[in-house]
Amino acid sequence: MSKILNNLIIQLTKLPGIGWKSAQRICFFILKTKKSEIDELIHAIQLAKSKLSFCPICFNYTENYMCEICSDNKRNHTQLCIVEDASDIITIERSAIFKGLYHVLGGVLSPIDNIGPEKLRIKELIERINKNKIQEIIIATNPTREGEATAYYLLKLLKQYNIKITRIAKGLPIGSDLDLADEMTISEAFEGRQEL
């Protein structure tokens, strides 16, 4: 096999959820696609890497100083949905069920991976709660062992604030990620959330 071809496949396997066979299919798709279309893809990736940064309030990706959600006065600024990653916001927004604000933790607690509370954006979350008139916190971590442990940790930490704390319902399969769920499942999980 060509070294260039092999290297492209290896680089593609570094993408999440892409194994060798998928990388091989993507590789040959790229090679069969018009150069102009591949140039557009390359440009889109480079633009995203150079122009997107974190919103200083919620840590969602934005091309402006503050993201569109945090700067939207029509949203419910008393509800705060806590998610693991910015990709979870896209999934929840597609469901069109939630009209509040978000807070991206940047991961979950994972002792095996040496990720404790200090490596997540929990300090920033507490600062937001202290500065704003939050009435409900919705914990929307993934229903994995680490996501559940993080939800439990947050529940214990946030109980002192006299705020309604809910967890999205278990309409999501255990071991799954939010960004893999369809809009209806996300919608039902939000509607069925329970106070913790």
Side-chain angles (χ1 to χ4, degrees):
M1 179 188 317
S2 158
K3 286 181 183 177
I4 295 172
L5 191 63
N6 191 54
N7 183 50
L8 178 55
I9 294 169
I10 289 168
Q11 297 308 312
L12 290 169
T13 62
K14 293 178 182 177
L15 296 171
I18 304 293
W20 187 264
K21 286 198 178 272
S22 294
Q24 202 173 333
R25 280 193 300 275
I26 295 168
C27 173
F28 285 105
F29 171 80
I30 290 170
L31 293 173
K32 291 177 187 174
T33 302
K34 291 180 189 174
K35 184 182 180 313
S36 61
E37 291 179 28
I38 297 304
D39 288 342
E40 286 177 29
L41 174 62
I42 291 167
H43 178 70
I45 292 169
Q46 289 172 333
L47 194 61
K49 284 298 285 180
S50 66
K51 298 289 185 186
L52 294 178
S53 59
F54 288 121
C55 172
I57 297 169
C58 71
F59 302 97
N60 188 10
Y61 286 104
T62 181
E63 57 195 82
N64 302 311
Y65 173 73
M66 190 187 313
C67 78
E68 292 176 8
I69 294 171
C70 287
S71 59
D72 186 350
N73 291 328
K74 294 178 185 164
R75 296 191 76 101
N76 183 348
H77 286 245
T78 67
Q79 280 187 322
L80 188 62
C81 180
I82 302 172
V83 295
E84 294 177 20
D85 295 302
S87 63
D88 298 329
I89 293 175
I90 295 169
T91 305
I92 294 169
E93 285 297 295
R94 273 195 341 247
S95 75
I97 189 76
F98 181 67
K99 300 297 179 197
L101 302 177
Y102 294 93
H103 186 83
V104 179
L105 291 173
V108 286
L109 297 174
S110 179
I112 292 172
D113 299 319
N114 254 354
I115 301 173
E118 71 286 347
K119 291 195 177 174
L120 302 178
R121 296 186 189 106
I122 295 173
K123 182 183 84 169
E124 294 87 346
L125 172 64
I126 301 301
E127 288 172 7
R128 282 183 81 181
I129 292 168
N130 287 327
K131 285 181 187 174
N132 301 291
K133 296 176 180 171
I134 305 297
Q135 294 175 3
E136 181 184 11
I137 291 177
I138 302 163
I139 300 174
T141 54
N142 288 308
T144 60
R145 186 175 297 137
E146 293 85 0
E148 291 295 328
T150 304
Y152 181 71
Y153 176 85
L154 290 171
L155 171 63
K156 282 178 52 179
L157 181 70
L158 300 175
K159 275 287 189 188
Q160 64 182 305
Y161 288 95
N162 196 28
I163 296 172
K164 181 179 178 182
I165 301 172
T166 59
R167 174 96 167 106
I168 57 173
K170 302 290 194 239
L172 300 167
I174 297 297
S176 178
D177 286 340
L178 278 175
D179 58 355
L180 300 176
D182 61 84
E183 291 84 6
M184 184 61 81
T185 302
I186 293 289
S187 215
E188 288 174 4
F190 262 83
E191 287 173 354
R193 70 184 184 271
Q194 298 174 356
E195 192 161 354
L196 298 174

